[in-house]
Amino acid sequence: MKVVDENTSGQDVSQEYVDLEARLANLEAAAARLREFLKEAKSVEEALQVEARLRELEGEIAQVKGRMNFLKGRSAYSLITVILEPLRPTPTPTPTPLVWNPGETFREATGVLGILLRGLVDISIWMLVRGGPFVLPAGAIAFAVYRLRNRHRPKAL
């Protein structure tokens, strides 16, 4: 067997995954602190500001978790493609002697003649079909004109 094509590719995402884990831990800790601040808020305005920041952090947390899930799923699936082709023996050319064969020459000539005749008949059919609607009326008119001109002339003896 001979390997016809081999293609491998890969990307190490372990560093990105570790960074995302650390970022997720920091974001979750910050969100926990904001929840504590929300409980201790003294006015509605403070509570709304803390709530807005908490929503932003929760959005970032969702993005980080989504990216981590994508990287987990990507590393779980792998695709390997291998194309194998069996080795075929190399044919050894055998020299053929050049011998004149008149029978073979005659057969080739008659074959070419048949092809030429077939082509001529095909062209004639095409000309008749494509030109017939124009040639036949024109011929009839020319014949009528010829007959009319010759009818008035006296015949010589």
Side-chain angles (χ1 to χ4, degrees), residues 81-130:
T81 304
V82 178
I83 299 171
L84 299 174
E85 184 176 287
L87 290 174
R88 294 185 181 104
T90 307
T92 307
T94 55
T96 56
L98 297 175
V99 177
W100 182 58
N101 188 346
E104 183 64 30
T105 304
F106 182 76
R107 272 193 299 280
E108 288 176 7
T110 55
V112 170
L113 181 62
I115 291 171
L116 287 174
L117 289 175
R118 233 180 298 143
L120 288 174
V121 170
D122 287 346
I123 289 171
S124 301
I125 292 170
W126 272 91
M127 289 176 66
L128 180 67
V129 170
R130 300 288 288 193

Side-chain angles (χ1 to χ4, degrees), residues 24-77:
L24 179 63
N26 287 338
L27 288 172
E28 286 178 339
R33 283 193 306 265
L34 280 175
R35 285 189 193 93
E36 290 299 319
F37 289 148
L38 186 60
K39 289 178 187 176
E40 297 173 6
K42 304 246 190 282
S43 67
V44 173
E45 188 175 314
E46 283 181 6
L48 288 176
Q49 288 177 350
V50 171
E51 180 70 29
R53 180 64 185 133
L54 185 59
R55 265 183 278 144
E56 288 176 21
L57 280 177
E58 287 174 345
E60 288 180 42
I61 289 171
Q63 285 178 343
V64 168
K65 285 182 178 180
R67 180 69 181 163
M68 289 173 71
N69 285 337
F70 171 76
L71 293 176
K72 280 182 192 175
R74 188 171 179 200
S75 64
Y77 297 103

